Amino acid sequence: MPKTFDEIQKSFVARAKVSGAKTNNPVVVAMVGVTGAGNSTIARLLKKLTGWDVVEKNKIRVELREKGRGFTPQNTDKIHYAMLAKILKGGGNAILDSDFVERPKRKKLERFARRFNAKILYLHLICDRDVMLERMLRGRYNPETDIFKSAAIAL
């Protein structure tokens, strides 16, 4: 049964948790890198090293698309930031598995983080074009839920 946007948002926010050591000065690690640069791989590695929670924007997008309720970039951001707020309010640190290549996205994140006295650490990932293309071609695409129906369209 399809869920409403509010139900999906509540579900995601409920999953966000404060992992690892709590801190008075939270840190948010945000990825800057194009698709295929290794953003998700680095986010998972950092989670293993730090124990911090990872907020995965792609999971939000996919679930909104699957449920057919409220898929817009603005609604995806709304959930993304609600999850981050929960973590930061709880004294946690977060890793954002998302893309902050565009300057306006970084500025929005910085304004948001200031509300929680959080510091932002950007990791700029650089990847050889051929490696990136190979990763995208190996990617699995679900025509029902993915915006790209195949690797060829994604490229």
Side-chain angles (χ1 to χ4, degrees):
M1 180 172 158
K3 294 181 179 179
T4 67
F5 172 79
D6 289 336
E7 289 171 329
I8 294 169
Q9 182 175 3
K10 284 178 187 174
S11 172
F12 270 103
V13 172
R15 290 181 239 168
K17 59 189 173 298
V18 176
S19 302
K22 291 187 179 184
T23 180
N24 292 330
N25 300 306
V27 175
V28 176
V29 178
M31 306 296 160
V32 178
V34 297
T35 301
N39 298 342
S40 297
T41 301
I42 297 299
R44 284 190 301 272
L45 177 62
L46 286 173
K47 180 179 174 67
K48 279 185 185 179
L49 294 172
T50 63
W52 299 354
D53 201 20
V54 176
V55 180
E56 297 176 74
K57 202 167 192 180
N58 279 338
K59 282 189 177 182
I60 298 167
R61 269 193 289 264
V62 167
E63 187 162 330
L64 284 173
R65 240 185 253 114
E66 283 177 346
K67 304 298 181 195
R69 300 281 187 218
F71 173 65
T72 65
Q74 295 80 12
N75 282 346
T76 303
D77 275 355
K78 187 175 177 182
I79 295 173
H80 190 245
Y81 279 102
M83 293 175 72
L84 179 58
K86 180 182 176 185
I87 294 166
L88 296 177
K89 281 179 190 174
N93 303 292
I95 302 161
L96 302 182
D97 182 4
S98 183
D99 175 27
F100 289 91
V101 170
E102 293 93 8
R103 193 169 202 272
K105 286 183 180 180
R106 292 193 303 271
K107 291 300 173 193
K108 179 180 178 180
L109 177 61
E110 290 161 13
R111 284 190 305 273
F112 185 84
R114 275 196 292 273
R115 296 181 3 205
F116 302 94
N117 294 319
K119 302 288 184 204
I120 307 290
L121 172 65
Y122 291 108
L123 288 182
H124 191 154
L125 304 176
I126 299 171
C127 182
D128 181 78
R129 182 185 67 222
D130 292 338
V131 172
M132 179 194 68
L133 292 172
E134 180 185 335
R135 288 177 180 162
M136 290 178 74
L137 286 169
R138 280 194 328 238
R140 295 187 190 119
Y141 297 92
N142 179 342
E144 300 299 319
T145 59
D146 290 334
I147 200 165
F148 300 118
K149 307 299 182 199
S150 70
I153 293 172
L155 292 173

